[in-house]
Amino acid sequence: MTQKLPPVKIFSGTKSHYLAEQICKELGVELGKMNIQRFADGEFECSFEESIRGCEVYLVQSTFPNTDNLMELLLMIDAAKRASAKSIIAVVPYFGWARQDRKDKPRVSIAAKLVADLLSVAGIDRLITMDLHADQIQGFFDVPVDHLYASSCFIPYIQSLHLDELVIATPDVGGAKRANSYAKYLNAPLVLCHKQRAKANVVENMTIIGDVKGKDVVLVDDMVDTAGTITKAANLMMENGAKSVRALASHAIMSDPASQRIEECALSEIMFTDSIPFTKKCSKVTIISIASLFADTIRRVHNNESISSQYLIK
């Protein structure tokens, strides 16, 4: 006798509502009714406006700053647990605080581990996320983690550009593994940038390892915050004879003055996913939807199917 799967219900926090709606459209289901009531002092409470007893509940919420987004997700998880959901899956396209994944100097917190603990204690049974800043963060969880890659969305777009002299580059050595995966799949050379930071968000010096003369360069990164690194790398590529420079990054944090820097730099285009809502004005930005990627993953998880077959590269 085939075991009947529990019904699926999808809910969203405030700032990821746009993405949850697209995911639901891809799946052909209605977005669940949820109420987030805010009090005058900034406190808020989350409540489900429909029964979720015995359901497989998916909570869509990226945990980018400010901390309200993380707190919303934690309260949603707690409310779902207390409402007798059969299982609770956190769908976190952008996992915030991931840059603090180790002690790189004395007396600092490891925020990525703390957030993982908070989600686990709140009551999640599984995490679905995308392009973590550091792969080892998956090990911070004691529940299954489905780590997706935006490459399955970016690569078809890169191929559609028909760049004759394609070169894949990384703006820092730390992203070499990610960039190398793109280079291998696209059968393109790999170029590295070595940077030295004066302090956080400030690049002091950068050098290129490889040849970009007459090439169409695509810089690959996981996120863009103030855009200091990516724009410095783009300008350096053009100074070294590149024909054109584009960039892609999974998460558009885009803290000021990122948009201005991108407008003024040598980049002809920068591609982001919609893991974070992009509300700034920048003529060079192209947004690529990840709704179908997450919808397909939710469908596969619900049906107990493998998700590895949908990865183009890892």
Side-chain angles (χ1 to χ4, degrees), residues 7-293:
V8 171
K9 295 210 173 180
I10 299 175
F11 298 88
S12 170
T14 305
K15 294 294 179 69
S16 294
H17 198 270
Y18 69 99
L19 181 57
E21 285 185 326
Q22 294 175 44
I23 290 171
C24 287
K25 187 177 180 181
E26 291 279 345
L27 289 169
V29 300
E30 291 289 327
L31 182 62
K33 295 180 178 64
M34 171 152 238
N35 181 43
I36 299 176
Q37 180 182 351
R38 297 186 179 273
F39 301 103
D41 64 350
E43 184 182 329
F44 51 86
E45 70 172 12
C46 300
S47 61
F48 294 93
E49 300 299 296
E50 57 188 87
S51 175
I52 58 172
R53 184 180 296 274
C55 294
E56 193 173 272
V57 174
Y58 291 82
L59 304 175
V60 181
Q61 180 79 319
S62 285
T63 56
F64 55 96
N66 61 36
T67 52
D68 280 6
N69 295 310
L70 173 59
M71 195 65 191
E72 268 189 21
L73 179 58
L74 292 170
L75 292 179
M76 288 161 63
I77 294 165
D78 186 66
K81 180 174 66 176
R82 296 176 190 279
S84 302
K86 183 175 179 61
S87 60
I88 303 166
I89 296 94
V91 181
V92 186
Y94 171 69
F95 184 85
W97 284 270
R99 283 175 283 187
Q100 302 175 57
D101 63 310
R102 65 194 185 282
K103 284 189 71 173
D104 56 354
K105 60 183 179 181
R107 298 175 295 281
V108 295
S109 65
I110 304 178
K113 170 59 175 167
L114 175 60
V115 172
D117 287 345
L118 288 170
L119 293 172
S120 298
V121 170
I124 65 168
D125 297 290
R126 177 181 291 269
L127 174 73
I128 302 175
T129 188
M130 183 184 77
D131 281 351
L132 289 167
H133 186 66
D135 287 349
Q136 65 265 23
I137 291 171
Q138 296 171 75
F140 293 172
F141 289 87
D142 293 325
V143 298
V145 176
D146 294 313
H147 186 206
L148 309 181
Y149 299 90
S151 54
S152 59
C153 302
F154 283 130
I155 282 178
Y157 184 81
I158 295 172
Q159 290 172 327
S160 73
L161 297 174
H162 302 294
L163 301 173
D164 296 328
E165 299 292 336
L166 176 64
V167 165
I168 300 297
T170 174
D172 60 63
V173 176
K177 181 182 175 183
R178 181 183 298 105
N180 186 53
S181 297
Y182 278 83
K184 284 172 65 178
Y185 187 89
L186 294 165
N187 195 28
L190 176 66
V191 170
L192 304 177
C193 288
H194 175 65
K195 70 179 179 183
Q196 293 175 309
R197 284 194 183 276
K199 57 182 178 178
N201 294 127
V202 178
V203 178
E204 190 174 63
N205 186 42
M206 183 178 284
T207 54
I208 294 178
I209 305 170
D211 180 27
V212 296
K213 190 172 183 179
K215 307 294 184 181
D216 296 301
V217 179
V218 176
L219 288 157
V220 176
D221 212 345
D222 66 317
M223 65 175 69
V224 172
D225 190 352
T226 60
T229 299
I230 205 92
T231 54
K232 193 176 184 70
N235 292 338
L236 193 59
M237 297 290 173
M238 290 301 287
E239 289 168 11
N240 280 265
K243 185 164 66 174
S244 68
V245 185
R246 291 171 174 82
L248 64 85
S250 304
H251 310 297
I253 301 174
M254 294 293 282
S255 307
D256 289 334
S259 293
Q260 182 183 348
R261 283 175 171 171
I262 288 171
E263 289 285 11
E264 294 173 354
C265 79
L267 284 172
S268 58
E269 180 183 22
I270 185 164
M271 298 153 265
F272 296 118
T273 74
D274 53 356
S275 63
I276 296 175
F278 180 71
T279 56
K280 306 289 178 68
K281 290 184 178 180
C282 184
S283 62
K284 295 181 180 180
V285 168
T286 299
I287 300 295
I288 296 172
S289 177
I290 52 171
S292 59
L293 173 64

